[in-house]
Amino acid sequence: MKIVIINYGAGNIQSIMFAVERLGFKAVLSNDPDEIQKADKVIFPGVGEASSAMTKLKESGLDRLIPNLKQPVLGICLGMQLMCNATEEGNTQGLGIFNVDVIKFSSNVKVPQMGWNQIYNLKSDLFKDIAENEFMYLVHSFYAPNCQYMIATTNYDTEYASALQKDNFYGTQFHPEKSGDVGEKILENFLKLSNKE
């Protein structure tokens, strides 16, 4: 199985590579459109700031490529947010895969939300054999509100979508690669998805 992690200068790439290796697979880092298109699974990571990340995607033409991929694609953290229509972070236009706008947490809570929080209302094969209310690791100041694509919910100041799915596109606001055994199981579930879904 060919697994490609999209390389556009995002921060948490090594930890994702190690997590994939621990599951017995090998991932390659690439920003080559041809190689990304030929992959069985694509991981779209993200740690950083939305507008500069989007600029890098545009420079390499990946902003046009990613929404047209046909195999399972997993956006993580900022990767998931960039798959949405837009984000308030830097007033950035996203890739428009998920028809929802990412907004900032209110000043009622400590921002960023950093640390462990629960996920519940789990739907989709991404959460096969995952119990409700497991704890996942999150670091973020912006979030996707509840919407039709929501496959997991988290509460921090308000309920929001901590995972999204539309067709072959999946997104997690939390970091599965930093969320212990449960996070690794979610990554494994992603790698086992059939390309038909």
Side-chain angles (χ1 to χ4, degrees):
M1 178 163 59
K2 180 161 184 161
I3 303 162
V4 170
I5 299 171
I6 296 176
N7 184 12
Y8 67 106
N12 63 330
I13 288 174
Q14 283 312 119
S15 52
I16 297 172
M17 287 195 88
F18 292 144
V20 168
E21 280 169 17
R22 283 196 297 272
L23 292 167
F25 299 98
K26 190 113 184 74
V28 292
L29 270 181
S30 179
N31 62 357
D32 174 1
D34 203 41
E35 189 165 33
I36 293 167
Q37 260 173 322
K38 286 180 180 153
D40 298 300
K41 300 288 185 302
V42 175
I43 298 175
F44 178 32
V47 165
E49 189 273 325
S51 59
S52 52
M54 203 64 207
T55 300
K56 285 180 182 154
L57 290 174
K58 284 178 177 162
E59 282 165 3
S60 49
L62 293 174
D63 63 317
R64 294 187 303 281
L65 174 78
I66 293 168
N68 292 303
L69 292 173
K70 300 292 181 249
Q71 67 275 68
V73 178
L74 176 65
I76 297 175
C77 194
L78 178 61
M80 182 193 98
Q81 295 185 358
L82 292 175
M83 290 159 89
C84 297
N85 274 348
T87 169
E88 285 184 354
E89 186 176 20
N91 290 324
T92 306
Q93 282 299 118
L95 299 173
I97 295 164
F98 300 116
N99 183 20
V100 61
D101 290 344
V102 172
I103 55 178
K104 188 166 187 176
F105 282 120
S106 79
S107 54
N108 299 335
V109 286
K110 189 165 174 279
V111 178
Q113 173 183 202
M114 187 183 282
W116 298 83
N117 204 339
Q118 288 171 298
I119 57 170
Y120 53 94
N121 296 339
L122 306 180
K123 304 176 189 78
S124 146
D125 285 346
L126 196 62
F127 298 111
K128 192 170 186 254
D129 301 325
I130 303 291
E132 292 281 326
N133 299 309
E134 288 283 9
F135 281 87
M136 294 284 126
Y137 186 76
L138 297 121
V139 183
H140 62 120
S141 304
F142 297 81
Y143 67 92
N146 291 359
C147 61
Q148 71 204 73
Y149 314 107
M150 185 161 68
I151 54 170
T153 309
T154 294
N155 194 313
Y156 187 71
D157 184 38
T158 184
E159 280 199 335
Y160 67 88
S162 47
L164 300 171
Q165 181 195 349
K166 180 187 175 188
D167 305 325
N168 56 310
F169 293 97
Y170 298 78
T172 63
Q173 183 59 65
F174 53 84
H175 288 275
E177 78 284 1
K178 293 179 181 171
S179 297
D181 293 345
V182 181
E184 276 192 17
K185 176 65 182 157
I186 292 170
L187 268 182
E188 184 181 15
N189 285 344
F190 171 72
L191 296 177
K192 286 182 173 172
L193 289 171
S194 79
N195 284 14
K196 310 282 179 293
E197 287 180 73

